[in-house]
Amino acid sequence: MKLGVVLRAENLIREKEFRHNRVVTPYGPVDRIFSGALHGVETHFLYGRFPGRRTPSWEIPYQANQSAFDELDVDHQIGTFVVGGVDKAVRGGDLVVPHDLISFSGPGISLPPRDNRFSNAHVVPAFCPLLRSLLLRGARETGTAVHESGVYFNFYGFARIETDAELSLMEKLGVRLVGQTLDPEFTLARLRRRHYAAIAVAIDSYHDMKNEAEQDPDVFRARSRQAIADGREHFERIIEAGLATLGDAPAEECGCARVATGNHRDMFSSFPEDLL
């Protein structure tokens, strides 16, 4: 396993003396990689999705980020997220390990296939069951309460939060989380057949947001910032503890990297082969 984690893991980077790594990709340099080892696992932290400043979700350099993991031969990836809670069970500060994703829209970006032959990412199940198990074991080992399942609704491409009608629809669909950054990161990682899992911290809930106009915005912002800071510390501890349990985990196959082999005619060829 070579693990890539999208997380501002300040504590682990300092404590484990991870080295600062600059990776040059076809989409530009990525200069916020920190590389080292956790419990014998080669680990690379991508210190935030966007470089240096907060930016709209459609300006995040997803292709460069994933290409940096390509250059490092990362085959397992964990994404960490700040989200809103949708169902009544999730409140501000709660942690969730989602098990599935809804994403109806996103940017028209992809990555060139490594074998010069395009194929869609296969995403059933959406998240690697073995990586999810690692996160859940890490949560139990550290005594951290998490919601062990949930559907993440990817609300991509709008410089606003969700309307009341949109949130109501998500709640009816059984959605637990809403955010803007899980996809296309997830899709690009799965196009590379990386094992992928996610863990998220909610900064608020649907039911808090419905009354947001009545709240002091400074109090709301301070509470959100604290939830993010606490969430990052939990993420670090959970991931480290989960990696420490790898030797105890049963040997299993998840199928995330499985692909068809053999000499198969391409169904998308423009002309019959004998006319080419």
Side-chain angles (χ1 to χ4, degrees), residues 125-186:
F127 301 119
C128 174
L130 302 186
L131 267 187
R132 288 191 73 252
S133 293
L134 182 149
L135 292 171
L136 296 176
R137 289 197 308 270
R140 294 175 193 132
E141 288 291 322
T142 57
T144 307
V146 298
H147 298 274
E148 297 192 359
S149 65
V151 175
Y152 182 123
F153 193 105
N154 198 77
F155 185 81
Y156 181 89
F158 300 98
R160 61 169 173 81
I161 62 171
E162 304 75 31
T163 68
D164 187 52
E166 288 164 344
L167 287 164
S168 179
L169 174 62
M170 292 177 204
E171 190 175 37
K172 289 181 173 66
L173 290 173
V175 169
R176 176 157 278 179
L177 309 171
V178 60
Q180 293 195 352
T181 52
L182 178 50
D183 223 11
E185 176 177 295
F186 162 76

Side-chain angles (χ1 to χ4, degrees), residues 174-203:
V175 169
R176 176 157 278 179
L177 309 171
V178 60
Q180 293 195 352
T181 52
L182 178 50
D183 223 11
E185 176 177 295
F186 162 76
T187 297
L188 294 180
R190 292 298 298 129
L191 279 172
R192 286 296 191 250
R193 297 192 286 275
R194 276 195 261 281
H195 304 252
Y196 190 98
I199 185 169
V201 60
I203 59 171

Side-chain angles (χ1 to χ4, degrees), residues 82-148:
V82 175
V83 299
V86 177
D87 74 14
K88 292 181 175 67
V90 178
R91 311 301 299 206
D94 284 9
L95 303 183
V96 185
V97 178
H99 74 280
D100 216 334
L101 165 71
I102 296 173
S103 183
F104 289 144
S105 63
I109 63 174
S110 188
L111 288 171
R114 286 180 161 177
D115 56 4
N116 296 317
R117 182 175 178 175
F118 172 79
S119 63
N120 287 310
H122 290 267
V123 292
V124 179
F127 301 119
C128 174
L130 302 186
L131 267 187
R132 288 191 73 252
S133 293
L134 182 149
L135 292 171
L136 296 176
R137 289 197 308 270
R140 294 175 193 132
E141 288 291 322
T142 57
T144 307
V146 298
H147 298 274
E148 297 192 359

